[in-house]
Amino acid sequence: MSQVATHIETQQHHPIKLYLVVWGWLFILSTCSYLVDFFGLVGYLRWGLILLFMVLKAGLIVAVFMHMAWERLALLYAIIVPPTLVLVFVGIMVFESNYTLFSRLAFFVVGR
Amino acid sequence: MVDMPRTDPGAGISRPAGWEGIVADWSSDQRAFKNVSWGKAMMWIFLLSDTFIFSCFLLSYMTVRMSTVEPWPNPSEVFALNIGGRHIPLILIAIMTFILISSSGTMAMAVNFGYRRDRFRSASLMLATALLGATFVGMQAFEWSKLIAEGVRPWGNPWGAAQFGSSFFMITGFHGTHVTIGVIFLLIMSRKVFRGDFDRERRGFFTSRKGNYEIVEIMGLYWHFVDLVWVFIFALFYLW
């Protein structure tokens, strides 16, 4: 019996309204990020807004649609922490691309 | 559940919360994920590995875009469409984004109705999700044909850096493949739910094991992940 009880306890019972609200927010955020392009914003404002809306949308999807907000932290950290290490890889590749670009500009396009 | 003691999700003992909970769950020779079944945990771990695959694609895209000396084609113009005589930038991609988000919404509700054992609504919402997913793939096929007709190839394009084509076909192609596989599995799951497999504990054709409505949630995890990846592709490839 305890097994059955635990099983029911682990199921996700949320009102449908919650999903509709999140759906609405995802629409609003997507519209906002589309408007960033539509109005032709440039520079740090553009990149900042794009990243902001991206992170908010990703957070809503993972937390509510994928039910991560109601999981135990042991699972949450096991899944969320490793991808953040990709940022280190991003850092490495930024240095690498700058170096490649420098080499190309310094040694290959001088004559043009 | 009763004849599968190994998948018992943690025996209902109260566990410490917060950081203490993480240490307690991971320490000693025991199951780390207490109230998560093996199926759900394995789907999460698969999604984690898939995250790294897409991260590598987006990283290589960033690297080639940052290191090229040619101008990068403007995605806003490349993906613009003329609708009703008006030139609207990036409109096709915006519509695809809304379609995929909507499919995520219907999927989340399908999971909810599954747990309420409302199998008709659950199956219909999954079918709606599959249809929206198929629409998305269809629009992607349109986008690919349009770009190929305009001369975009993995090794070059008329507007600038050659790496644009290779990044585009690699990233959206891999994502589209994920959506297609998701649509196929959604159709299979929708049929199983509609037939009442999880109410009557009918054994699966492949695993010969009894399923329950948690399978709908696991399917949902995959589908939301596909939407999640699109959020990143939309922001980093199309809008940047």
Side-chain angles (χ1 to χ4, degrees):
Chain A
M1 279 309 288
S2 70
Q3 287 182 356
V4 176
T6 322
H7 183 63
I8 289 164
E9 187 184 296
T10 56
Q11 290 176 359
Q12 304 282 348
H13 287 290
H14 308 292
I16 288 294
K17 193 184 171 218
L18 174 70
Y19 297 115
L20 292 175
V21 168
V22 171
W23 193 350
W25 272 108
L26 288 173
F27 258 79
I28 294 169
L29 290 169
S30 297
T31 310
C32 288
S33 45
Y34 175 66
L35 290 179
V36 168
D37 186 72
F38 191 81
F39 290 123
L41 303 179
V42 286
Y44 286 109
L45 179 65
R46 180 192 186 94
W47 299 327
L49 284 175
I50 289 173
L51 289 180
L52 176 72
F53 295 137
M54 179 185 85
V55 169
L56 287 176
K57 278 163 72 179
L60 276 177
I61 292 170
V62 174
V64 181
F65 280 178
M66 299 172 96
H67 296 143
M68 209 38 142
W70 297 279
E71 300 289 1
R72 283 187 66 78
L73 284 180
L75 178 70
L76 194 149
Y77 282 93
I79 302 299
I80 304 294
V81 173
T84 59
L85 297 179
V86 169
L87 293 176
V88 177
F89 201 175
V90 172
I92 294 170
M93 292 321 286
V94 167
F95 282 115
E96 176 66 17
S97 340
N98 286 338
Y99 170 69
T100 310
L101 182 62
F102 162 76
S103 313
R104 284 175 176 168
L105 288 173
F107 303 114
F108 294 99
V109 278
V110 174
R112 294 213 295 194
Chain B
M1 287 304 294
V2 182
D3 60 341
M4 290 191 289
R6 279 161 202 238
T7 59
D8 163 37
I13 310 159
S14 72
R15 303 283 308 176
W19 280 102
E20 265 183 63
I22 296 177
V23 176
D25 287 6
W26 277 92
S27 59
S28 310
D29 189 15
Q30 57 173 334
R31 286 180 51 151
F33 305 127
K34 297 297 176 194
N35 58 353
V36 173
S37 69
W38 59 267
K40 206 156 132 186
M42 288 305 117
M43 178 50 89
W44 269 115
I45 289 167
F46 164 71
L47 295 182
L48 179 61
S49 65
D50 228 13
T51 306
F52 287 122
I53 290 179
F54 279 105
S55 300
C56 287
F57 288 159
L58 287 170
L59 259 168
S60 49
Y61 150 70
M62 180 197 83
T63 307
V64 295
R65 185 165 173 173
M66 279 182 77
S67 60
T68 181
V69 288
E70 304 282 330
W72 195 260
N74 181 6
S76 185
E77 284 305 310
V78 173
F79 301 104
L81 280 185
N82 282 310
I83 299 174
R86 287 188 60 198
H87 187 72
I88 310 173
L90 213 63
I91 187 68
L92 182 66
I93 310 304
I95 296 169
M96 284 165 76
T97 304
F98 287 123
I99 286 178
L100 209 57
I101 283 174
S102 301
S103 78
S104 241
T106 52
M107 187 68 226
M109 292 194 284
V111 173
N112 200 284
F113 282 117
Y115 278 140
R116 293 174 196 209
R117 305 199 160 254
D118 187 342
R119 63 188 168 93
F120 180 71
R121 280 191 185 159
S122 183
S124 342
L125 281 165
M126 279 169 91
L127 206 59
T129 311
L131 285 176
L132 288 166
T135 313
F136 178 89
V137 177
M139 294 181 79
Q140 201 165 48
F142 169 77
E143 186 196 357
W144 272 48
S145 348
K146 182 173 169 282
L147 257 66
I148 291 170
E150 286 170 356
V152 181
R153 299 286 183 276
W155 53 86
N157 64 69
W159 311 295
Q163 293 91 335
F164 174 83
S166 39
S167 304
F168 171 78
F169 287 121
M170 190 75 199
I171 293 171
T172 62
F174 218 78
H175 179 262
T177 311
H178 276 74
V179 179
T180 310
I181 292 169
V183 167
I184 294 165
F185 271 92
L186 274 169
L187 292 174
I188 295 171
M189 284 301 157
S190 170
R191 175 162 174 260
K192 283 165 88 81
V193 168
F194 189 73
R195 204 166 52 184
D197 281 16
F198 305 133
D199 293 319
R200 289 186 280 112
E201 300 208 311
R202 181 185 170 128
R203 289 182 184 274
F205 69 97
F206 187 61
T207 57
S208 304
R209 300 186 68 168
K210 296 166 185 171
N212 60 51
Y213 279 102
E214 196 186 43
I215 290 174
V216 182
E217 188 185 1
I218 294 170
M219 177 72 238
L221 286 180
Y222 177 83
W223 191 259
H224 296 312
F225 175 77
V226 168
D227 185 24
L228 188 65
V229 170
W230 183 254
V231 168
F232 285 87
I233 295 174
F234 180 58
L236 301 174
F237 189 85
Y238 291 103
L239 290 177
W240 202 257

